[in-house]
Amino acid sequence: MTFPPKDPFLLTPGPLTTSATVKQAMLRDWGSRDGAFIELNARIRNRLVEMIGGGGEFAAVPLQGSGTFAVEAMIGTLVPRTGKLLVLVNGAYGHRMVRIAEVIGRAVTMIETAEDLPVSPEALDRALAEDPAVTHVAVVQCETTSGILNPLQRVAEVTARHGRALLVDAMSAFGALPLDARETPLQAVAASSNKCLEGVPGTGFVLVRRTALEAARGNAHSLTLDLHDQWRGFEANAQWRFTPPTHVLAAFDQALSEHAAEGGVAGRGARYRENCRILVEGLRAMGFETLLPDALQAPVIVTVRMPADPAFDFPHFYERMRKRGYVLYPGKLTVADSFRIGCIGRLGAAEMRGALEAIRNTLAEMGVASGRP
Ligand SMILES: *Cc1c(COP(=O)(O)O)cnc(C)c1O
C-alpha cells in the first residue's frame, strides 16, 4: 500500500502515510501561472466547498503552511480587532487557539473542560448570555490531544441562537467525519491537506461564508495570513498571491480524487471506524485500557493508558515498534500517563492487524505480561 515499501506506517496524528499514487503526483514541475495548474487549484477549491455542502455560500481559501497557519489566518481575519473570541478548550489544540488570539492581540476568553470530557454546550450557553462582548466562538471538532469527539452540532446551535459566529478547527476530522454547513450553522472551518484527506503536508485551507469574507477586509494582523486578501487574489485571477506549494497541491488534487473514489466522507469515515474498532478491540484483548469510552472516541487517534507492568518502558516500546515498521505517538495529556495510536492515513485492516501483532511481539520481547494500567 505504501511507496517505497520500506517506509514505516505512521500511526500518528500527522504527517500520515499516503498512497503511492499521491506521492507519484509530485514527480513533475508546475508553473504557477500555467493553465493546467490554475485548473487544478479551481478543482481543489470546488471539491472542498462541496464536501461541506457549501454551495455558492462558502469559498475555499487555501493557504501555504501547516494546519496551524490556517487556524491563525481564520482567527486573525474573521475576528475583528474590536471583536472577542470565546474558545471551548479540552486539549492542546483549543489552548493553541487561545494562544493565537493572545499573540495577535484579540480579546479572548475560554471555557475549559478536562481532556477526557467533551466541551460543554450548556456552559457555552450561560457564558454567551452573560458576555455580550463575545463576537465569535471557536471549537475543535475532534480534539486530537485525546481523540475525543466534541458535540459540534450542539455547540453550533447554541452559538447561532445567541447570534454569534462559529469558527471550527476540523483539522483531524475533515473528510472523514460528516460536517454539513446546511445543517450546522458555522462561519468558517479550517483543515489541512494532510490528515483525513490523505495528501502530503504543506497546505491548509479555510472554508468561509462569503458574506463574512467580504466583511473581513482590513481585519487581519498579518499580510501573509490575510484570508480576505488571499481570497481576493483567487477571485481576481485564480492565482496564489505568493509562490504556491505546487507539488503539495498536485498531490492534494490526486488525494481528493482518491477520497471521492473511496465514497467521499462516508467511505473514508467507514474505513477509519473499522480501523479504530480493530485497534481498540485488539488492545483490550492484551489488557490495555483506552482513555475514552467508545461513545466519546472519534475514529482518528486512540489514547492508551500506560501499562502498570514495571517491565514496560515507553521509549523502548516505541523504538522496538519503529523497528517493526510502525510509528506510534507519545501522549500529550495532563489527566493520565498515556501514549497514542492513530488510525487515519492510507492504512486499512491489514495494517491495524499488523500493528497489533507487532505490539504483541514487542510486549513478549520486553517481558510485559499485560497492557493493564
Ligand atoms: C493537526 C492539528 C492541527 C494543526 O497542526 P499542524 O501541526 O499545524 O498541522 C490543528 N488542530 C488540530 C485539532 C489538529 O489535529
Side-chain angles (χ1 to χ4, degrees), residues 61-64 69 72-74 76-77 81 104 106 216 218-233 240-242:
V61 192
L63 189 73
Q64 296 94 331
F69 291 62
E72 182 162 349
M74 171 171 76
T77 305
R81 293 173 200 217
I104 69 178
R106 297 294 187 274
N219 279 354
H221 60 294
S222 154
L223 174 68
T224 52
L225 300 182
D226 185 343
L227 289 183
H228 173 90
D229 209 43
Q230 184 89 336
W231 172 61
R232 278 264 169 268
W240 292 66
R241 287 179 303 162
F242 312 119

PDB file of all heavy atoms in Angstrom, residues 61-64 69 72-74 76-77 81 104 106 216 218-233 240-242:
ATOM      1  N   VAL A  61     -10.486  28.987   0.811  1.00  0.00           N
ATOM      2  CA  VAL A  61      -9.275  29.802   0.714  1.00  0.00           C
ATOM      3  C   VAL A  61      -8.087  28.963   1.181  1.00  0.00           C
ATOM      4  O   VAL A  61      -7.879  28.783   2.379  1.00  0.00           O
ATOM      5  CB  VAL A  61      -9.383  31.082   1.575  1.00  0.00           C
ATOM      6  CG1 VAL A  61      -8.243  32.042   1.234  1.00  0.00           C
ATOM      7  CG2 VAL A  61     -10.728  31.766   1.397  1.00  0.00           C
ATOM      8  N   PRO A  62      -7.315  28.411   0.234  1.00  0.00           N
ATOM      9  CA  PRO A  62      -6.125  27.644   0.609  1.00  0.00           C
ATOM     10  C   PRO A  62      -5.012  28.589   1.048  1.00  0.00           C
ATOM     11  O   PRO A  62      -4.976  29.753   0.642  1.00  0.00           O
ATOM     12  CB  PRO A  62      -5.722  26.925  -0.684  1.00  0.00           C
ATOM     13  CG  PRO A  62      -6.785  27.235  -1.695  1.00  0.00           C
ATOM     14  CD  PRO A  62      -7.511  28.440  -1.215  1.00  0.00           C
ATOM     15  N   LEU A  63      -4.125  28.053   1.869  1.00  0.00           N
ATOM     16  CA  LEU A  63      -3.046  28.880   2.420  1.00  0.00           C
ATOM     17  C   LEU A  63      -1.808  28.006   2.618  1.00  0.00           C
ATOM     18  O   LEU A  63      -1.916  26.894   3.136  1.00  0.00           O
ATOM     19  CB  LEU A  63      -3.513  29.431   3.771  1.00  0.00           C
ATOM     20  CG  LEU A  63      -2.639  30.476   4.433  1.00  0.00           C
ATOM     21  CD1 LEU A  63      -2.757  31.811   3.699  1.00  0.00           C
ATOM     22  CD2 LEU A  63      -3.047  30.662   5.897  1.00  0.00           C
ATOM     23  N   GLN A  64      -0.643  28.511   2.219  1.00  0.00           N
ATOM     24  CA  GLN A  64       0.601  27.774   2.426  1.00  0.00           C
ATOM     25  C   GLN A  64       0.820  27.516   3.914  1.00  0.00           C
ATOM     26  O   GLN A  64       0.442  28.350   4.747  1.00  0.00           O
ATOM     27  CB  GLN A  64       1.797  28.606   1.917  1.00  0.00           C
ATOM     28  CG  GLN A  64       1.807  28.896   0.432  1.00  0.00           C
ATOM     29  CD  GLN A  64       1.169  30.239   0.091  1.00  0.00           C
ATOM     30  OE1 GLN A  64       0.291  30.725   0.789  1.00  0.00           O
ATOM     31  NE2 GLN A  64       1.606  30.821  -1.007  1.00  0.00           N
ATOM     32  N   PHE A  69      -1.289  27.384  10.542  1.00  0.00           N
ATOM     33  CA  PHE A  69      -1.288  28.635   9.772  1.00  0.00           C
ATOM     34  C   PHE A  69      -2.721  28.984   9.355  1.00  0.00           C
ATOM     35  O   PHE A  69      -3.124  30.150   9.388  1.00  0.00           O
ATOM     36  CB  PHE A  69      -0.407  28.495   8.519  1.00  0.00           C
ATOM     37  CG  PHE A  69       1.070  28.388   8.781  1.00  0.00           C
ATOM     38  CD1 PHE A  69       1.592  27.330   9.520  1.00  0.00           C
ATOM     39  CD2 PHE A  69       1.950  29.335   8.290  1.00  0.00           C
ATOM     40  CE1 PHE A  69       2.950  27.219   9.756  1.00  0.00           C
ATOM     41  CE2 PHE A  69       3.315  29.242   8.522  1.00  0.00           C
ATOM     42  CZ  PHE A  69       3.822  28.179   9.255  1.00  0.00           C
ATOM     43  N   GLU A  72      -4.676  30.162  12.444  1.00  0.00           N
ATOM     44  CA  GLU A  72      -4.284  31.528  12.795  1.00  0.00           C
ATOM     45  C   GLU A  72      -4.870  32.537  11.796  1.00  0.00           C
ATOM     46  O   GLU A  72      -5.345  33.613  12.182  1.00  0.00           O
ATOM     47  CB  GLU A  72      -2.754  31.653  12.853  1.00  0.00           C
ATOM     48  CG  GLU A  72      -2.299  33.038  13.264  1.00  0.00           C
ATOM     49  CD  GLU A  72      -0.855  33.102  13.755  1.00  0.00           C
ATOM     50  OE1 GLU A  72      -0.239  32.043  13.973  1.00  0.00           O
ATOM     51  OE2 GLU A  72      -0.359  34.228  13.927  1.00  0.00           O
ATOM     52  N   ALA A  73      -4.872  32.172  10.509  1.00  0.00           N
ATOM     53  CA  ALA A  73      -5.441  33.062   9.487  1.00  0.00           C
ATOM     54  C   ALA A  73      -6.947  33.209   9.695  1.00  0.00           C
ATOM     55  O   ALA A  73      -7.505  34.305   9.544  1.00  0.00           O
ATOM     56  CB  ALA A  73      -5.151  32.494   8.096  1.00  0.00           C
ATOM     57  N   MET A  74      -7.614  32.121  10.053  1.00  0.00           N
ATOM     58  CA  MET A  74      -9.069  32.148  10.283  1.00  0.00           C
ATOM     59  C   MET A  74      -9.395  33.111  11.433  1.00  0.00           C
ATOM     60  O   MET A  74     -10.278  33.968  11.309  1.00  0.00           O
ATOM     61  CB  MET A  74      -9.566  30.738  10.596  1.00  0.00           C
ATOM     62  CG  MET A  74     -11.001  30.629  11.060  1.00  0.00           C
ATOM     63  SD  MET A  74     -11.592  28.913  11.163  1.00  0.00           S
ATOM     64  CE  MET A  74     -10.794  28.337  12.666  1.00  0.00           C
ATOM     65  N   GLY A  76      -7.405  35.464  12.833  1.00  0.00           N
ATOM     66  CA  GLY A  76      -6.921  36.832  12.581  1.00  0.00           C
ATOM     67  C   GLY A  76      -7.737  37.581  11.549  1.00  0.00           C
ATOM     68  O   GLY A  76      -7.872  38.799  11.614  1.00  0.00           O
ATOM     69  N   THR A  77      -8.290  36.848  10.577  1.00  0.00           N
ATOM     70  CA  THR A  77      -9.052  37.519   9.515  1.00  0.00           C
ATOM     71  C   THR A  77     -10.515  37.728   9.907  1.00  0.00           C
ATOM     72  O   THR A  77     -11.114  38.737   9.555  1.00  0.00           O
ATOM     73  CB  THR A  77      -8.999  36.692   8.203  1.00  0.00           C
ATOM     74  OG1 THR A  77      -7.640  36.460   7.857  1.00  0.00           O
ATOM     75  CG2 THR A  77      -9.704  37.415   7.071  1.00  0.00           C
ATOM     76  N   ARG A  81     -10.671  43.453  15.048  1.00  0.00           N
ATOM     77  CA  ARG A  81      -9.811  43.913  16.148  1.00  0.00           C
ATOM     78  C   ARG A  81     -10.622  44.344  17.357  1.00  0.00           C
ATOM     79  O   ARG A  81     -10.133  44.333  18.480  1.00  0.00           O
ATOM     80  CB  ARG A  81      -8.921  45.056  15.655  1.00  0.00           C
ATOM     81  CG  ARG A  81      -7.928  44.525  14.625  1.00  0.00           C
ATOM     82  CD  ARG A  81      -7.109  45.601  13.935  1.00  0.00           C
ATOM     83  NE  ARG A  81      -6.577  45.026  12.697  1.00  0.00           N
ATOM     84  CZ  ARG A  81      -5.390  45.273  12.198  1.00  0.00           C
ATOM     85  NH1 ARG A  81      -4.576  46.114  12.800  1.00  0.00           N
ATOM     86  NH2 ARG A  81      -5.000  44.706  11.075  1.00  0.00           N
ATOM     87  N   ILE A 104      -1.901  37.663  18.676  1.00  0.00           N
ATOM     88  CA  ILE A 104      -2.270  38.653  17.657  1.00  0.00           C
ATOM     89  C   ILE A 104      -3.125  39.781  18.235  1.00  0.00           C
ATOM     90  O   ILE A 104      -3.583  40.652  17.503  1.00  0.00           O
ATOM     91  CB  ILE A 104      -2.976  38.001  16.444  1.00  0.00           C
ATOM     92  CG1 ILE A 104      -4.372  37.469  16.816  1.00  0.00           C
ATOM     93  CG2 ILE A 104      -2.123  36.869  15.868  1.00  0.00           C
ATOM     94  CD1 ILE A 104      -5.114  36.876  15.640  1.00  0.00           C
ATOM     95  N   ARG A 106      -6.147  39.775  20.036  1.00  0.00           N
ATOM     96  CA  ARG A 106      -7.614  39.773  20.063  1.00  0.00           C
ATOM     97  C   ARG A 106      -8.063  39.465  21.491  1.00  0.00           C
ATOM     98  O   ARG A 106      -7.472  38.605  22.155  1.00  0.00           O
ATOM     99  CB  ARG A 106      -8.196  38.708  19.135  1.00  0.00           C
ATOM    100  CG  ARG A 106      -7.895  38.896  17.670  1.00  0.00           C
ATOM    101  CD  ARG A 106      -8.580  40.159  17.114  1.00  0.00           C
ATOM    102  NE  ARG A 106      -8.406  40.240  15.658  1.00  0.00           N
ATOM    103  CZ  ARG A 106      -7.349  40.772  15.065  1.00  0.00           C
ATOM    104  NH1 ARG A 106      -6.380  41.298  15.784  1.00  0.00           N
ATOM    105  NH2 ARG A 106      -7.266  40.799  13.747  1.00  0.00           N
ATOM    106  N   ALA A 216     -14.584  41.067   6.031  1.00  0.00           N
ATOM    107  CA  ALA A 216     -13.344  40.932   6.822  1.00  0.00           C
ATOM    108  C   ALA A 216     -12.187  41.767   6.293  1.00  0.00           C
ATOM    109  O   ALA A 216     -11.068  41.672   6.800  1.00  0.00           O
ATOM    110  CB  ALA A 216     -12.929  39.457   6.871  1.00  0.00           C
ATOM    111  N   GLY A 218      -9.386  44.198   5.852  1.00  0.00           N
ATOM    112  CA  GLY A 218      -8.649  45.064   6.776  1.00  0.00           C
ATOM    113  C   GLY A 218      -8.577  44.539   8.200  1.00  0.00           C
ATOM    114  O   GLY A 218      -7.948  45.151   9.047  1.00  0.00           O
ATOM    115  N   ASN A 219      -9.203  43.402   8.486  1.00  0.00           N
ATOM    116  CA  ASN A 219      -9.160  42.845   9.844  1.00  0.00           C
ATOM    117  C   ASN A 219      -7.797  42.259  10.193  1.00  0.00           C
ATOM    118  O   ASN A 219      -7.366  42.317  11.340  1.00  0.00           O
ATOM    119  CB  ASN A 219     -10.164  41.684   9.987  1.00  0.00           C
ATOM    120  CG  ASN A 219     -11.590  42.157  10.221  1.00  0.00           C
ATOM    121  OD1 ASN A 219     -11.831  43.349  10.390  1.00  0.00           O
ATOM    122  ND2 ASN A 219     -12.516  41.222  10.230  1.00  0.00           N
ATOM    123  N   ALA A 220      -7.156  41.616   9.197  1.00  0.00           N
ATOM    124  CA  ALA A 220      -6.028  40.732   9.500  1.00  0.00           C
ATOM    125  C   ALA A 220      -4.853  41.497  10.099  1.00  0.00           C
ATOM    126  O   ALA A 220      -4.587  42.644   9.766  1.00  0.00           O
ATOM    127  CB  ALA A 220      -5.588  39.981   8.265  1.00  0.00           C
ATOM    128  N   HIS A 221      -4.163  40.784  10.997  1.00  0.00           N
ATOM    129  CA  HIS A 221      -3.000  41.297  11.701  1.00  0.00           C
ATOM    130  C   HIS A 221      -1.744  41.094  10.881  1.00  0.00           C
ATOM    131  O   HIS A 221      -0.670  41.492  11.282  1.00  0.00           O
ATOM    132  CB  HIS A 221      -2.859  40.507  13.004  1.00  0.00           C
ATOM    133  CG  HIS A 221      -2.682  39.034  12.737  1.00  0.00           C
ATOM    134  ND1 HIS A 221      -3.687  38.273  12.172  1.00  0.00           N
ATOM    135  CD2 HIS A 221      -1.616  38.209  12.873  1.00  0.00           C
ATOM    136  CE1 HIS A 221      -3.247  37.024  12.004  1.00  0.00           C
ATOM    137  NE2 HIS A 221      -2.003  36.962  12.415  1.00  0.00           N
ATOM    138  N   SER A 222      -1.873  40.375   9.747  1.00  0.00           N
ATOM    139  CA  SER A 222      -0.701  39.881   9.024  1.00  0.00           C
ATOM    140  C   SER A 222      -0.980  39.938   7.533  1.00  0.00           C
ATOM    141  O   SER A 222      -2.123  39.708   7.099  1.00  0.00           O
ATOM    142  CB  SER A 222      -0.456  38.430   9.467  1.00  0.00           C
ATOM    143  OG  SER A 222       0.222  37.692   8.480  1.00  0.00           O
ATOM    144  N   LEU A 223       0.026  40.210   6.746  1.00  0.00           N
ATOM    145  CA  LEU A 223      -0.150  40.218   5.293  1.00  0.00           C
ATOM    146  C   LEU A 223      -0.295  38.794   4.751  1.00  0.00           C
ATOM    147  O   LEU A 223      -1.218  38.484   4.017  1.00  0.00           O
ATOM    148  CB  LEU A 223       1.057  40.904   4.628  1.00  0.00           C
ATOM    149  CG  LEU A 223       1.068  40.861   3.091  1.00  0.00           C
ATOM    150  CD1 LEU A 223      -0.052  41.705   2.495  1.00  0.00           C
ATOM    151  CD2 LEU A 223       2.420  41.311   2.548  1.00  0.00           C
ATOM    152  N   THR A 224       0.629  37.900   5.152  1.00  0.00           N
ATOM    153  CA  THR A 224       0.617  36.544   4.587  1.00  0.00           C
ATOM    154  C   THR A 224      -0.579  35.733   5.068  1.00  0.00           C
ATOM    155  O   THR A 224      -1.044  34.848   4.369  1.00  0.00           O
ATOM    156  CB  THR A 224       1.906  35.775   4.934  1.00  0.00           C
ATOM    157  OG1 THR A 224       2.110  35.838   6.348  1.00  0.00           O
ATOM    158  CG2 THR A 224       3.109  36.361   4.227  1.00  0.00           C
ATOM    159  N   LEU A 225      -1.081  36.030   6.268  1.00  0.00           N
ATOM    160  CA  LEU A 225      -2.192  35.246   6.823  1.00  0.00           C
ATOM    161  C   LEU A 225      -3.541  35.954   6.654  1.00  0.00           C
ATOM    162  O   LEU A 225      -4.483  35.669   7.380  1.00  0.00           O
ATOM    163  CB  LEU A 225      -1.937  34.936   8.298  1.00  0.00           C
ATOM    164  CG  LEU A 225      -0.670  34.119   8.613  1.00  0.00           C
ATOM    165  CD1 LEU A 225      -0.569  33.845  10.103  1.00  0.00           C
ATOM    166  CD2 LEU A 225      -0.635  32.808   7.842  1.00  0.00           C
ATOM    167  N   ASP A 226      -3.621  36.846   5.684  1.00  0.00           N
ATOM    168  CA  ASP A 226      -4.872  37.569   5.443  1.00  0.00           C
ATOM    169  C   ASP A 226      -5.748  36.775   4.465  1.00  0.00           C
ATOM    170  O   ASP A 226      -5.507  36.779   3.256  1.00  0.00           O
ATOM    171  CB  ASP A 226      -4.555  38.959   4.880  1.00  0.00           C
ATOM    172  CG  ASP A 226      -5.799  39.817   4.721  1.00  0.00           C
ATOM    173  OD1 ASP A 226      -6.931  39.263   4.733  1.00  0.00           O
ATOM    174  OD2 ASP A 226      -5.651  41.043   4.578  1.00  0.00           O
ATOM    175  N   LEU A 227      -6.755  36.114   4.982  1.00  0.00           N
ATOM    176  CA  LEU A 227      -7.614  35.278   4.133  1.00  0.00           C
ATOM    177  C   LEU A 227      -8.446  36.102   3.165  1.00  0.00           C
ATOM    178  O   LEU A 227      -8.765  35.646   2.068  1.00  0.00           O
ATOM    179  CB  LEU A 227      -8.581  34.444   4.993  1.00  0.00           C
ATOM    180  CG  LEU A 227      -8.014  33.297   5.800  1.00  0.00           C
ATOM    181  CD1 LEU A 227      -9.157  32.573   6.510  1.00  0.00           C
ATOM    182  CD2 LEU A 227      -7.242  32.320   4.917  1.00  0.00           C
ATOM    183  N   HIS A 228      -8.822  37.306   3.575  1.00  0.00           N
ATOM    184  CA  HIS A 228      -9.597  38.169   2.686  1.00  0.00           C
ATOM    185  C   HIS A 228      -8.777  38.477   1.433  1.00  0.00           C
ATOM    186  O   HIS A 228      -9.242  38.317   0.305  1.00  0.00           O
ATOM    187  CB  HIS A 228     -10.001  39.470   3.399  1.00  0.00           C
ATOM    188  CG  HIS A 228     -10.658  40.457   2.483  1.00  0.00           C
ATOM    189  ND1 HIS A 228     -12.024  40.489   2.276  1.00  0.00           N
ATOM    190  CD2 HIS A 228     -10.142  41.420   1.687  1.00  0.00           C
ATOM    191  CE1 HIS A 228     -12.312  41.439   1.400  1.00  0.00           C
ATOM    192  NE2 HIS A 228     -11.191  42.026   1.025  1.00  0.00           N
ATOM    193  N   ASP A 229      -7.537  38.870   1.657  1.00  0.00           N
ATOM    194  CA  ASP A 229      -6.641  39.220   0.548  1.00  0.00           C
ATOM    195  C   ASP A 229      -6.321  37.994  -0.312  1.00  0.00           C
ATOM    196  O   ASP A 229      -6.289  38.080  -1.541  1.00  0.00           O
ATOM    197  CB  ASP A 229      -5.358  39.822   1.139  1.00  0.00           C
ATOM    198  CG  ASP A 229      -4.722  40.818   0.192  1.00  0.00           C
ATOM    199  OD1 ASP A 229      -5.463  41.625  -0.407  1.00  0.00           O
ATOM    200  OD2 ASP A 229      -3.489  40.770   0.032  1.00  0.00           O
ATOM    201  N   GLN A 230      -6.088  36.870   0.344  1.00  0.00           N
ATOM    202  CA  GLN A 230      -5.787  35.622  -0.374  1.00  0.00           C
ATOM    203  C   GLN A 230      -6.985  35.249  -1.267  1.00  0.00           C
ATOM    204  O   GLN A 230      -6.824  34.874  -2.418  1.00  0.00           O
ATOM    205  CB  GLN A 230      -5.514  34.508   0.662  1.00  0.00           C
ATOM    206  CG  GLN A 230      -5.096  33.171   0.077  1.00  0.00           C
ATOM    207  CD  GLN A 230      -3.590  33.044  -0.103  1.00  0.00           C
ATOM    208  OE1 GLN A 230      -2.863  34.032  -0.216  1.00  0.00           O
ATOM    209  NE2 GLN A 230      -3.109  31.820  -0.138  1.00  0.00           N
ATOM    210  N   TRP A 231      -8.181  35.398  -0.707  1.00  0.00           N
ATOM    211  CA  TRP A 231      -9.418  35.086  -1.442  1.00  0.00           C
ATOM    212  C   TRP A 231      -9.580  36.028  -2.638  1.00  0.00           C
ATOM    213  O   TRP A 231      -9.860  35.596  -3.749  1.00  0.00           O
ATOM    214  CB  TRP A 231     -10.600  35.213  -0.474  1.00  0.00           C
ATOM    215  CG  TRP A 231     -11.960  35.123  -1.082  1.00  0.00           C
ATOM    216  CD1 TRP A 231     -12.494  34.062  -1.760  1.00  0.00           C
ATOM    217  CD2 TRP A 231     -12.972  36.134  -1.060  1.00  0.00           C
ATOM    218  NE1 TRP A 231     -13.776  34.342  -2.148  1.00  0.00           N
ATOM    219  CE2 TRP A 231     -14.099  35.608  -1.736  1.00  0.00           C
ATOM    220  CE3 TRP A 231     -13.062  37.427  -0.526  1.00  0.00           C
ATOM    221  CZ2 TRP A 231     -15.286  36.328  -1.889  1.00  0.00           C
ATOM    222  CZ3 TRP A 231     -14.245  38.140  -0.670  1.00  0.00           C
ATOM    223  CH2 TRP A 231     -15.338  37.594  -1.348  1.00  0.00           C
ATOM    224  N   ARG A 232      -9.378  37.325  -2.405  1.00  0.00           N
ATOM    225  CA  ARG A 232      -9.471  38.313  -3.479  1.00  0.00           C
ATOM    226  C   ARG A 232      -8.547  37.929  -4.633  1.00  0.00           C
ATOM    227  O   ARG A 232      -8.899  38.064  -5.790  1.00  0.00           O
ATOM    228  CB  ARG A 232      -9.077  39.697  -2.956  1.00  0.00           C
ATOM    229  CG  ARG A 232     -10.190  40.405  -2.242  1.00  0.00           C
ATOM    230  CD  ARG A 232     -10.903  41.357  -3.204  1.00  0.00           C
ATOM    231  NE  ARG A 232     -12.138  41.869  -2.643  1.00  0.00           N
ATOM    232  CZ  ARG A 232     -13.343  41.301  -2.818  1.00  0.00           C
ATOM    233  NH1 ARG A 232     -13.468  40.221  -3.536  1.00  0.00           N
ATOM    234  NH2 ARG A 232     -14.407  41.824  -2.278  1.00  0.00           N
ATOM    235  N   GLY A 233      -7.334  37.473  -4.286  1.00  0.00           N
ATOM    236  CA  GLY A 233      -6.363  37.034  -5.294  1.00  0.00           C
ATOM    237  C   GLY A 233      -6.940  35.908  -6.144  1.00  0.00           C
ATOM    238  O   GLY A 233      -6.907  35.968  -7.377  1.00  0.00           O
ATOM    239  N   TRP A 240      -2.423  32.208  -6.737  1.00  0.00           N
ATOM    240  CA  TRP A 240      -1.961  32.428  -5.374  1.00  0.00           C
ATOM    241  C   TRP A 240      -1.239  33.779  -5.313  1.00  0.00           C
ATOM    242  O   TRP A 240      -0.580  34.170  -6.274  1.00  0.00           O
ATOM    243  CB  TRP A 240      -0.989  31.317  -4.961  1.00  0.00           C
ATOM    244  CG  TRP A 240      -1.631  29.980  -4.810  1.00  0.00           C
ATOM    245  CD1 TRP A 240      -2.190  29.214  -5.801  1.00  0.00           C
ATOM    246  CD2 TRP A 240      -1.764  29.238  -3.590  1.00  0.00           C
ATOM    247  NE1 TRP A 240      -2.671  28.044  -5.266  1.00  0.00           N
ATOM    248  CE2 TRP A 240      -2.411  28.025  -3.915  1.00  0.00           C
ATOM    249  CE3 TRP A 240      -1.390  29.469  -2.260  1.00  0.00           C
ATOM    250  CZ2 TRP A 240      -2.703  27.061  -2.951  1.00  0.00           C
ATOM    251  CZ3 TRP A 240      -1.681  28.500  -1.318  1.00  0.00           C
ATOM    252  CH2 TRP A 240      -2.331  27.316  -1.656  1.00  0.00           C
ATOM    253  N   ARG A 241      -1.328  34.452  -4.171  1.00  0.00           N
ATOM    254  CA  ARG A 241      -0.615  35.736  -4.053  1.00  0.00           C
ATOM    255  C   ARG A 241       0.888  35.522  -4.040  1.00  0.00           C
ATOM    256  O   ARG A 241       1.639  36.301  -4.599  1.00  0.00           O
ATOM    257  CB  ARG A 241      -0.987  36.448  -2.735  1.00  0.00           C
ATOM    258  CG  ARG A 241      -2.367  37.050  -2.697  1.00  0.00           C
ATOM    259  CD  ARG A 241      -2.617  37.700  -1.348  1.00  0.00           C
ATOM    260  NE  ARG A 241      -2.454  36.757  -0.259  1.00  0.00           N
ATOM    261  CZ  ARG A 241      -2.266  37.086   1.015  1.00  0.00           C
ATOM    262  NH1 ARG A 241      -2.177  38.361   1.370  1.00  0.00           N
ATOM    263  NH2 ARG A 241      -2.146  36.161   1.955  1.00  0.00           N
ATOM    264  N   PHE A 242       1.337  34.483  -3.350  1.00  0.00           N
ATOM    265  CA  PHE A 242       2.770  34.206  -3.192  1.00  0.00           C
ATOM    266  C   PHE A 242       3.043  32.780  -3.652  1.00  0.00           C
ATOM    267  O   PHE A 242       2.119  31.977  -3.712  1.00  0.00           O
ATOM    268  CB  PHE A 242       3.183  34.414  -1.730  1.00  0.00           C
ATOM    269  CG  PHE A 242       2.690  35.723  -1.147  1.00  0.00           C
ATOM    270  CD1 PHE A 242       1.839  35.745  -0.050  1.00  0.00           C
ATOM    271  CD2 PHE A 242       3.028  36.933  -1.739  1.00  0.00           C
ATOM    272  CE1 PHE A 242       1.358  36.942   0.467  1.00  0.00           C
ATOM    273  CE2 PHE A 242       2.547  38.144  -1.231  1.00  0.00           C
ATOM    274  CZ  PHE A 242       1.709  38.148  -0.125  1.00  0.00           C
TER     275      PHE A 242
END
